[in-house]
Amino acid sequence: MKTETATERTCPKCGCVYTEVPALSRTDNETLICPDCGTHEALEALGISLEEQEKIISIIHRNTAE
């Protein structure tokens, strides 16, 4: 079984440190951002309000907690 060390990254968008697989920012298609910011960008592109985005991300965190 392959063992990988989690790489710490700092999101250039929100400043949070994360170890998950990064998302590719929709703003320039080059910048790697944290999964939460990637989700925010995707939901914003669908016209979902910030309040609803926060609810969705909260549900994602609850259901993916290790």
Side-chain angles (χ1 to χ4, degrees):
M1 186 171 170
K2 187 177 178 182
T3 304
E4 292 185 22
T5 304
T7 301
E8 281 192 354
R9 295 180 173 91
T10 301
C11 179
K13 193 162 186 171
C14 70
C16 289
V17 175
Y18 65 99
T19 57
E20 297 88 355
V21 175
L24 186 62
S25 177
R26 292 168 179 257
T27 59
D28 65 5
N29 290 321
E30 294 179 6
T31 305
L32 296 178
I33 57 177
C34 72
D36 285 352
C37 284
T39 301
H40 275 293
E41 285 188 3
L43 294 172
E44 182 179 18
L46 294 172
I48 297 173
S49 71
L50 184 58
E51 181 181 334
E52 194 66 24
Q53 290 176 35
E54 292 299 331
K55 288 179 186 177
I56 292 168
I57 289 176
S58 175
I59 291 168
I60 291 169
H61 284 259
R62 261 198 324 259
N63 290 301
T64 58
E66 293 179 42

